[in-house]
Amino acid sequence: MRTHLFALLLLPIRIRALWRASPANNNSDDDGHIKSHSVERYNNMLYDDGDDHPSPITSTFSVTNSEAKRQADVWEKIHDMEDYKSNLRLYSTINGDRARLTSFHYIVQPVWWADNDNTDPSLVMDLAKIMTALDQTIQYYSDMSWGSMQITYDILPQQILSGSISSTSNPGLVNTGSAARQLVASQGYQSGVDYDGILLVYFQPSTGELSTLPGGAHAEINSDFVWLSYETGVNYKTMRQEVGHNFGHAHHGSNSYEYRLTRPNIPSTVLDGFDFMSGGNEQFEVADFAVASKWFFNWVSDSNVVHLQPEGSTVECPTCLSEGTFVISAFDRVSSPPIVGGSGSTVMGVHVPIAATVDDADRVYSYWFSYRSGVDGAAENGLSVHLTWFDLGGLFGASYDSMNYDAFGDTDTTDDSFVLEGTCYSVDPAAYLMDRDIVSVDAVRPLICVDSINVGSDVTITVKFLDVDDPPSNAVGVDVKTFPPLECSASNFGSFKSYKGFASGYKLIEVSNTGGDGVLSWQMCPENASTDTSVTAFFFDEYPTSPLAFKSPAAYGAFKSTTTRYIDCCTPGTFVTPEGAVAVKVTNMNSDFLHLNEIEIFDAQGTNVALDAKCYSRTSGFGGSPNCLNDGDVGHFPDACSSHSSTDGADNYDFCILDEPVDIKAIHVYPFYDPANLWMTDRLKDLKVEIFAAVTNLSNVTDSANEGGDVSFLGLLEAYDLSFSSAEHGPKAQTPLNLPLDAFSCPSSGTLAPFTYQSDTGKTWVLIPPLEGPVNDNTAINMGALCKLSECGINEYLDSNQRKCQQCPVDVPRSPAGSKSINDCSPCPDGTVLAHPRATECSLTNDYSIILEASGWRVWAPEFHIESSNSDWEVRRLDFYDNMNCDGDPMDPDVGDPVDSGNAGPEFGPDKAYSGGSSTFWRGRPDSDGILSIGKDFSNNLVRCRCLRLYELPGKGASSIRVQAYMFDEEQWVNAWIEEDLDPNESVHVIRMTYPGFTNQPSSAPSGFSTGSPSNAPTFTRSETPTVSPTSSPSTVPIYSPTSKPSTTPSTKPSEVPSGNVSETPTGAPSEAPTKN
């Protein structure tokens, strides 16, 4: 059997296919929410004779699937990827291998606008300029693919663009693209025959959409067209990126805090930063496509990738592993192509499939772990982790996008994204994917440990999977004090708690029940400490597994952090004695640009402590970065990077903050120095160097490259002047320095501004590591937390009395975000469950009950199981039988009222499936939930069904159906059988409900029937044709009894699940959730 996940849009509910079930042996949590789609369960449900309202005898069984359904669906979609790579002009297949992207041919069309003078020599484009940029692009793609990819081109004569489009008539992408295609076609070139894509080169217009394109360029993703401004877009770096867009790549982002502020869209301001599509284009010469993309194009083969999943080896992925240690080679070295085949194959990536959906087109989500050696070594100190997705279809077979996992996510840069040597990183679910498939991503939780790094060559990692229901304990030796949790409130003032902790050990606080928009306000101060004693708090959406269970850096998995120094909290009016310097600031007093190559800061032992500092610039522009100030790379432009202010205004400065107070003995300042532009160094003729004992407001800085004047510098210890001329390129220094450690007045106002954090997953974790800097036995931390929310999250409602969010009850588990009352909670449609408390979708269940008699029977299917393109389910006839082989005559078609989900009109109503006519049929339509069903309502009578014959119109049938029975006591439809893998093109299906432990012979005892109508029964769409009323006498159809010894051995057929012992005490309803094994 297969289980399918489908989405239910709220109010009204709507069903959409996402994926089919998942791993076996899943448990329910304490409050009954089903955690996974993997459990197949059925209930032995028999009825005692003689009761007016029969009581079911029930027992629940958990059946372990031989195949994990989540992974089955994602691997089915991965295997289908090859079908999308069907363009034989682009892809080549060699020796039966996967299709490889090998060629693409561009037509380059230079144009004049209609108002250009095409006789003006200055308006004749230099084709050599275009060719130079193209040739460099071609070479890069060849190198990136180790010679597999060959881009070619033809440049057509420059012509006036078709359609009389002028540079002042607001030229846009649509009209210029259409005109260019017409122009190329008019010259005899046919798309898909003579060329694959078009590069349109034009002069920058003064108006319209093309006048404002960033970088003077634009390209369609996974398509065939590029727009290039001749003035600004025709250059190598721009071309290689725009071609990358054609090849299916967007600007890839990062798994950042900002997503909660922009959902459902990925924030465009937070980019990966390490490939030429995502912020690394201008900065790095080698910034290749990700290894996942190279694998799709088959530049990296299957033998160069390790596939991992929690289930390990399965039928769908026999080579998959569940854990292991692997040496991963750099995937971006042109001199080291992958070795393919055999045990000596080079591993260039680890692939962990997560889910396949049709919600956002045919999409495959995965994790990929890889190692970059390019990007000027910026990524070579650790492992790269990405969430990736392919949207299948289009010219290249798929579009590719991704999110970089920023290991140190609390900082304002992705430069520290990497999992470092000797550390372990728990890959928590990204909010972006939780919004789309929370069940799947919750089931796949990799843990990666970086064992060693051969810098620039390879990394050795160990990977396994964590169980969300059995998380790892805190590591031995990790001292953690867990404080009482703070529960968020919707009251006017929110909820508040104060805490006090000691300097040593970790402090952990859980902020729970944060609803849909809970905001935590946080304050903390060290007491009885020294000038530079500081405390840092890290904020997590998930339990901080990496630092506490695996002794990794405290920032691993955090999205924000804030630091408070003792100097921020000292008592106003008192004096503070510094223990050394913490800040060095260099200011251009000449009201001009500031650009420095390096700042070196030496302590009494001659150590350059600046290498461990954090540097900032007041403003940054022209490619400058404060990270260059202490990277240890001293040199000249363009070989060494520098800081560079964005303007030439007054008060341009750079500064570096040291890890701890230092007795500074020397400072070396290196200017920006360009031998071709010596006049730039003359700007630095009036610099001032200042050394401070403390700074405040550093936590307010969100961008180290644009500090913006937020930081206050305290306790001036030393200041002196420096001057550079065009003949000098440093370094310059004033030595020796003897800093006077004089006391200075406490700068605190007595009021500390709170740090705020918007919760995103219903709770927030705050982790405070041991204090940094000088401490003593009396040093402590005072902490205060205030949490306030205004609306509840998905599947919650606001309790007006307690002013807190409550989870919707199990029987009505769903509600839209912002619900104000329990009355906003609604059930999932019968036959479905809410598989996660925060799921936005209900899921098909693989549960069914052994039901021999019921007051209604129907066949049921979601619209994504219907073959026809318009979701019409066309049924000529539906017969019910009281025996397992559909022997003899079916049930009298005049008994019971035909019911359905909806239909195409009276002439296609549900009665047509029972009329016996050869030309009539039911044309079913989905209800508001996206579900189709047809059957019979027998009112008060209990009617037995053991077998069905379903006659469908070929091509308009279902690939999978549920046989459902209406249960009087539960007032709901319940799955009584699941039939999978039906051929929708066959006209007749015999569906036998072959329950284990039951014979095909009826018992002699007649069954009873109920005397009353169910209350609050589901609304049916009935036929307008009157039907025969049920008889008033009891049915004489006998029921079946179980064998004395139910079988406990599973059969080989998926429909025949193992039975267990029937409970001696009947329950009133089937279990809401799987039992624990």
Side-chain angles (χ1 to χ4, degrees), residues 246-261:
N246 272 180
F247 278 39
H249 294 72
H251 294 299
H252 313 310
S254 183
N255 181 33
S256 67
Y257 175 86
E258 282 70 18
Y259 172 72
R260 70 198 66 197
L261 309 177

Side-chain angles (χ1 to χ4, degrees), residues 516-653:
D517 63 352
V519 174
L520 171 65
S521 296
W522 177 264
Q523 291 177 309
M524 60 185 178
C525 276
E527 68 175 28
N528 299 320
S530 300
T531 309
D532 201 51
T533 302
S534 65
V535 56
T536 300
F538 296 90
F539 298 82
F540 299 78
D541 291 338
E542 299 272 338
Y543 183 86
T545 299
S546 300
L548 297 184
F550 300 100
K551 299 183 179 180
S552 294
Y556 271 19
F559 282 103
K560 289 285 185 181
S561 67
T562 184
T563 298
T564 305
R565 299 172 184 262
Y566 175 72
I567 197 72
D568 300 320
C569 305
C570 58
T571 304
T574 62
F575 286 85
V576 180
T577 301
E579 298 183 8
V582 299
V584 173
K585 180 183 181 186
V586 181
T587 305
N588 192 343
M589 307 301 292
N590 197 38
S591 296
D592 207 336
F593 286 96
L594 176 66
H595 31 67
L596 302 177
N597 169 230
E598 191 82 6
I599 299 175
E600 296 176 337
I601 305 169
F602 296 93
D603 63 11
Q605 287 73 43
T607 301
N608 179 14
V609 294
L611 294 175
D612 296 321
K614 174 67 175 177
C615 296
Y616 300 77
S617 293
R618 191 177 192 278
T619 67
S620 291
F622 304 96
S625 170
N627 297 328
C628 300
L629 294 170
N630 64 330
D631 62 359
D633 185 10
V634 175
H636 304 159
F637 178 85
D639 298 325
C641 69
S642 300
S643 69
H644 199 304
S645 62
S646 62
T647 68
D648 59 354
D651 207 23
N652 279 322
Y653 56 76

